[in-house]
Amino acid sequence: MAYFCMCVARFVFFALMIIQCFFLAGYPATYKNNRHWYALAASFAPAVIVWICLTIVSKAKLRRLFFVWGLYICALIPNIATVFAVVGDSFDKNKLLGPNALKMVLCITPLLLLLMLHTADDSDQTDEHRELVSKLSYQMAIDLFDAVEMIDIVLEENEHDFGIPNGFGAFMIVLACLCLALSTWQLAENKLAGGETKIRFRTAFFRNIVEIFLVNLPFLIVRGVVFFKYGKDESIFIAKNGIILILSSIELCSISDCCG
């Protein structure tokens, strides 16, 4: 039964990644009326191929799947940038590939992370691995949804016209993509060997600093501006960014003690 569930979860992972890559490529193809844009979907091929090789030919261990996530993010960020660079503020909510569909497509990313982590061959090999998978699942999923919500602000601006300048919107897209990129760093700070998990303390230390000053603090400031100046309610995620800033500061203090 457990093996059947894992097979189903892996099939869902594969299907969702394929759906996401073709939907993202479909935006410039649809709005520019040029099917050649579908070639962008090929940028996800390295992640898909490596994932298939690990799950079918080799062993899909956590530390190897971390590499798959890196390849996936390297494809996802350019695709998101291309969608906004090509489509701009021309999103049409009456089309199938409208702003609401884009939100749903981007929300696939946290689900892919959860499926990837929980379908690793050694995800429940030891108590340490189970604890790591649980920790990464909730921490990273929240951060990924945070990035998607930041992009959602730009999409809602196109639909409701809060008065947010285009340049400010582009800055929010850059911040969201930076948040997505940092997810690979968060995986890299974990060292897995012989069934044990260890934290690369220096890597974790610098990752937390970058996340504080280049992600959560800017997110907090941007959402504050959007809330107070442009009247869009962002109170929930403002609170989230404030809480994460406190937790990241505490984690930095803990890591500093471990590093002596």
Side-chain angles (χ1 to χ4, degrees):
M1 186 63 180
Y3 178 75
F4 173 76
C5 291
M6 179 173 287
C7 290
V8 171
R10 286 179 173 175
F11 173 77
V12 173
F13 176 91
F14 175 79
L16 287 176
M17 187 178 289
I18 296 300
I19 290 171
Q20 188 182 56
C21 73
F22 278 101
F23 263 81
L24 288 174
Y27 275 88
T30 299
Y31 284 87
K32 291 299 181 182
N33 197 25
N34 187 343
R35 293 187 177 183
H36 290 110
W37 284 104
Y38 279 107
L40 283 172
S43 60
F44 288 85
V48 174
I49 292 172
V50 172
W51 179 81
I52 291 175
C53 291
L54 290 177
T55 54
I56 297 178
V57 180
S58 183
K59 288 289 186 179
K61 294 186 177 182
L62 276 171
R63 59 187 179 87
R64 294 175 179 174
L65 289 176
F66 291 172
F67 180 64
V68 173
W69 185 256
L71 292 175
Y72 165 73
I73 291 297
C74 286
L76 178 64
I77 292 175
N79 273 265
I80 292 174
T82 301
V83 168
F84 282 95
V86 173
V87 179
D89 57 357
S90 302
F91 289 99
D92 186 351
K93 63 180 180 180
N94 296 317
K95 289 185 177 181
L96 172 62
L97 296 181
N100 291 329
L102 183 57
K103 297 174 196 176
M104 294 176 62
V105 168
L106 294 177
C107 283
I108 290 175
T109 297
L111 182 54
L112 288 176
L113 172 76
L114 297 178
L115 288 171
M116 185 193 76
L117 292 175
H118 287 275
T119 57
D121 288 327
D122 57 346
S123 61
D124 59 352
Q125 179 180 353
T126 64
D127 290 338
E128 290 186 0
H129 278 200
R130 282 192 290 270
E131 183 179 350
L132 176 63
V133 168
S134 177
K135 174 186 174 183
L136 291 175
S137 293
Y138 77 81
Q139 285 185 347
M140 294 181 64
I142 290 174
D143 288 339
L144 293 173
F145 273 118
D146 198 9
V148 172
E149 203 280 334
M150 181 64 71
I151 294 174
D152 181 42
I153 297 175
V154 180
L155 293 174
E156 288 196 12
E157 165 61 23
N158 292 330
E159 186 175 354
H160 300 290
D161 192 15
F162 295 103
I164 301 174
N166 290 335
F168 196 51
F171 178 64
M172 284 189 275
I173 299 297
V174 171
L175 284 179
C177 290
L178 179 59
C179 181
L180 294 173
L182 280 177
S183 65
T184 61
W185 196 349
Q186 190 166 358
L187 292 177
E189 71 187 37
N190 299 282
K191 183 178 181 181
L192 287 74
E196 296 182 352
T197 63
K198 296 181 180 179
I199 295 293
R200 296 181 172 94
F201 289 106
R202 291 185 178 179
T203 304
F205 180 81
F206 288 112
R207 194 266 305 171
N208 272 278
I209 290 178
V210 171
E211 191 166 342
I212 287 174
F213 292 103
L214 294 184
V215 177
N216 280 298
L217 185 57
F219 271 31
L220 182 64
I221 295 172
V222 166
R223 287 193 168 109
V225 172
V226 170
F227 180 74
F228 291 107
K229 186 174 182 178
Y230 300 107
K232 186 181 184 307
D233 187 10
E234 289 291 313
S235 54
I236 294 177
F237 280 90
I238 287 175
K240 176 267 177 187
N241 292 134
I243 292 170
I244 294 299
L245 283 172
I246 294 172
L247 292 178
S248 295
S249 300
I250 294 173
E251 187 173 353
L252 275 176
C253 294
S254 177
I255 293 172
S256 298
D257 290 339
C258 293
C259 293

